[in-house]
Amino acid sequence: MRVGEELEPLEIPITRTLIVAGAVASRDYQDVHHDAEAARAKGSPDIFMNILTTNGLVGRYITDHFGARSSLRKVAIRLGAPNYPGDTMVLTGTVVAVDGDTAQVRVVGANGIGHHVTGTVTVEVGA
């Protein structure tokens, strides 16, 4: 692990099932995450992914790269363009700092509209 190291991109198809399952798993029952008609009534073209699902996908991306023994120490993300069904989000990451067995990774998740998520993740890499 070194500063400037780029993580292999991860493509995630954004399906209705992923959006709804993520909302249910995180106990986020807001209608905009499962009811297309309600989402449209509130000005959205369709249902969209919640931040907790995005947070989980970012965590998975980092631990898949650094291994099962890695531990997330801090996740600081911000949402941008919504993830709608039928799109694909591509997660990319770059190591921006290393201190011993801890790295800070800049993460971007982009979809067809723009950047869905941006932020940094601090990860401790286990032996």
Side-chain angles (χ1 to χ4, degrees):
M1 134 178 105
R2 60 178 171 66
V3 172
E5 174 184 348
E6 293 187 11
L7 284 61
E8 187 74 28
L10 175 64
E11 291 188 14
I12 300 171
I14 306 302
T15 65
R16 289 183 182 285
T17 301
L18 175 61
I19 293 170
V20 173
V24 170
S26 60
R27 296 182 180 185
D28 182 347
Y29 303 117
Q30 291 187 35
D31 55 9
V32 294
H33 302 307
H34 64 85
D35 183 335
E37 190 173 304
R40 281 190 290 278
K42 293 179 179 179
S44 178
D46 206 337
I47 63 172
F48 54 91
M49 185 176 284
N50 72 358
I51 192 169
L52 296 171
T53 304
T54 300
N55 196 48
L57 292 170
V58 167
R60 168 193 159 196
Y61 177 57
I62 297 298
T63 57
D64 280 359
H65 178 80
F66 288 100
R69 297 184 61 102
S70 62
S71 299
L72 302 178
R73 295 297 178 210
K74 181 178 180 182
V75 177
I77 60 172
R78 180 172 293 217
L79 291 183
N83 266 339
Y84 293 118
D87 206 343
T88 298
M89 178 174 66
V90 180
L91 288 167
T92 57
T94 304
V95 176
V96 294
V98 175
D99 183 11
D101 62 354
T102 302
Q104 186 178 62
V105 181
R106 173 85 175 138
V107 176
V108 174
N111 61 31
I113 304 170
H115 288 168
H116 169 68
V117 62
T118 56
T120 57
V121 178
T122 303
V123 59
E124 184 177 353
V125 180

